[in-house]
Amino acid sequence: MKIIRSVAQMQKMMMRRAGKSLGFVPTMGALHAGHLSLIRRARTENDLVAVSIFVNPAQFGPREDYQRYPRPFAQDARLCRAAGVDYFFAPAAADMYPDGYATYTEVTHLSNVLCGASRPGHFRGVATVVAKLLNITAPDRAYLGIKDYQQVHIISRMVRDLNMPVKIVACPTVREPSGLALSSRNQFLSAEQKAGSAVIARALHHCRDLILSKKQRKSREIIQCMKRMITSIPGAKIDYVAVVDCQTLDPITVVGSVAAIVCAVRVGTTRLIDNIVVRSAVSR
Ligand code: PAF
């Protein structure tokens, strides 16, 4: 595995691929089983695999956890090597955003709702860094976890709107046995908070079952049910719970054949997100 710290060197290396396909997994490091599942998928579908490890300052607000975000570099490198990664790209912030940096990518509308409403500028930072990483690595496929539901939609839209020649592959959420979605931020949860946070996934599954069993299709009731369950988590503060259209992310009032239930919850100082897509044969 080649460890590459410079943007110029990565770009040069990516241009000399001799026709080999490349799967790319963008990450902010602190790799867990969710990331490893993306790497495994990339490994099976491509000749070469690149992983980026970059805690992107542009996607953190001034009062967010940029400084304390975990950076276990040596452990990440070890995991990637064991997973058969070919290129481990870990650029410095000053190389990605040199003095005078002035260009940003913004996917309008999709970026200002849900997580974007409480994290202004977050998705502009995400879209910008992913556009840069895709330009640097020029992959055939890029792998993202569907846990970050809005992020996957924004990146897919950016790629489509800007005619970027890459396929975005959305991969399933990996969960703890309790159901809690894996996240690099879970390590900030105490054991008690972690056990309590499993209620988020239980609430999503319960509400999906209500819809599939035709007991409930009204979004207002589904949101109330989610909120009732989630507020039982000690120290939980709900940022949002919404039932949305799977393409536009616009709120819907009655669930038809397909919808997504999405939520963000702060447990102590840790912000957790999760979602479930509900597909049923029910028509409006
Ligand atoms: O999901 C993440 O880890 C980040 O938002 C991403 C896509 C690597 C961009 O920094």
Side-chain angles (χ1 to χ4, degrees), residues 151-170:
Q151 172 169 282
V152 169
H153 277 68
I154 286 169
I155 293 172
S156 302
R157 180 66 68 84
M158 173 185 79
V159 160
R160 194 180 85 190
D161 288 354
L162 296 181
N163 311 102
M164 297 171 124
V166 57
K167 180 175 164 38
I168 299 299
V169 184

Side-chain angles (χ1 to χ4, degrees), residues 24-29 35 38 52-57 59-60 69 97 119 122-123 125-127 129-130 133 143-145 147-148 151 155 184-185:
F24 174 53
V25 183
T27 82
M28 295 207 300
H35 296 114
L38 304 180
S52 65
I53 305 278
F54 180 61
V55 185
N56 172 32
Q59 69 187 74
F60 289 81
Y69 199 87
Y97 300 109
R119 302 186 71 188
H122 169 68
F123 287 116
V126 170
V129 80
V130 174
L133 290 167
Y143 296 81
L144 295 164
K147 180 187 77 90
D148 296 294
Q151 172 169 282
I155 293 172
S184 302
R185 289 188 169 98

Side-chain angles (χ1 to χ4, degrees), residues 46-233:
N46 301 276
D47 300 321
L48 298 168
V49 174
V51 172
S52 65
I53 305 278
F54 180 61
V55 185
N56 172 32
Q59 69 187 74
F60 289 81
R63 281 191 297 277
E64 292 187 345
D65 55 355
Y66 176 66
Q67 294 301 342
R68 76 165 185 157
Y69 199 87
R71 292 164 170 84
F73 185 85
Q75 180 185 305
D76 287 345
R78 229 177 7 256
L79 288 169
C80 283
R81 189 172 283 114
V85 169
D86 300 286
Y87 304 101
F88 182 88
F89 177 47
D95 201 6
M96 289 292 278
Y97 300 109
D99 277 351
Y101 186 87
T103 305
Y104 292 87
T105 310
E106 192 159 2
V107 179
T108 55
H109 178 66
L110 283 181
S111 295
N112 302 324
V113 296
L114 305 174
C115 287
S118 53
R119 302 186 71 188
H122 169 68
F123 287 116
R124 178 187 193 243
V126 170
T128 300
V129 80
V130 174
K132 284 171 69 66
L133 290 167
L134 293 176
N135 281 337
I136 293 164
T137 53
D140 296 274
R141 299 174 192 84
Y143 296 81
L144 295 164
I146 199 73
K147 180 187 77 90
D148 296 294
Y149 195 74
Q150 188 173 6
Q151 172 169 282
V152 169
H153 277 68
I154 286 169
I155 293 172
S156 302
R157 180 66 68 84
M158 173 185 79
V159 160
R160 194 180 85 190
D161 288 354
L162 296 181
N163 311 102
M164 297 171 124
V166 57
K167 180 175 164 38
I168 299 299
V169 184
C171 302
T173 301
V174 178
R175 297 180 181 279
E176 302 241 2
S178 69
L180 177 66
L182 292 193
S183 160
S184 302
R185 289 188 169 98
N186 288 357
Q187 60 186 273
F188 297 137
L189 297 170
S190 68
E192 191 197 358
Q193 288 173 332
K194 209 168 175 182
S197 301
V199 168
I200 299 169
R202 278 211 292 284
L204 288 166
H205 281 91
H206 175 70
C207 289
R208 183 196 59 180
D209 292 346
L210 287 180
I211 298 167
L212 293 180
S213 62
K214 305 187 185 167
K215 289 192 180 121
Q216 191 53 265
R217 289 169 54 205
K218 290 190 191 130
S219 297
R220 207 181 47 196
E221 303 298 326
I222 294 159
I223 291 168
Q224 280 313 318
C225 175
M226 287 284 301
K227 287 186 172 172
R228 261 195 314 276
M229 290 182 74
I230 290 171
T231 45
S232 74
I233 305 169

